[in-house]
Amino acid sequence: VVDANRIYYAAGEPDDAARMYQVSGNGGEPVPMPHLTGMFPFDISRDGSQLLLGRYGTDAVPQWQVWVGSTVG
């Protein structure tokens, strides 16, 4: 997911261990977003303050769950 300044992405399998990161659109080192561990970005708000996130369910409820999370920790 991209806004005017940053790229937000998840790395890992679709489970609770997936890690969210942000990186400047100009390059640089990725910055972990530990408050969003286990989430995958779907979209971002117009002002860039919130992400629409998905989290894969459990074995009992395997559907994606949808969440909203802050881009700042």
Side-chain angles (χ1 to χ4, degrees):
V1 173
V2 179
D3 69 8
N5 301 308
R6 299 206 153 288
I7 300 168
Y8 299 91
Y9 66 96
E13 297 296 319
D15 60 21
D16 287 340
R19 302 287 307 264
M20 279 279 300
Y21 296 90
Q22 61 177 309
V23 66
S24 168
N26 295 323
E29 290 295 315
V31 177
M33 300 176 75
H35 65 289
L36 298 177
T37 296
M39 303 283 186
F40 290 82
F42 292 151
D43 205 354
I44 192 164
S45 62
R46 288 182 193 231
D47 67 1
S49 67
Q50 295 184 318
L51 291 165
L52 179 64
L53 302 160
R55 176 179 225 151
Y56 196 70
T58 64
D59 289 337
V61 184
Q63 295 86 5
W64 282 93
Q65 302 166 2
V66 179
W67 299 74
V68 174
S70 175
T71 57
V72 293

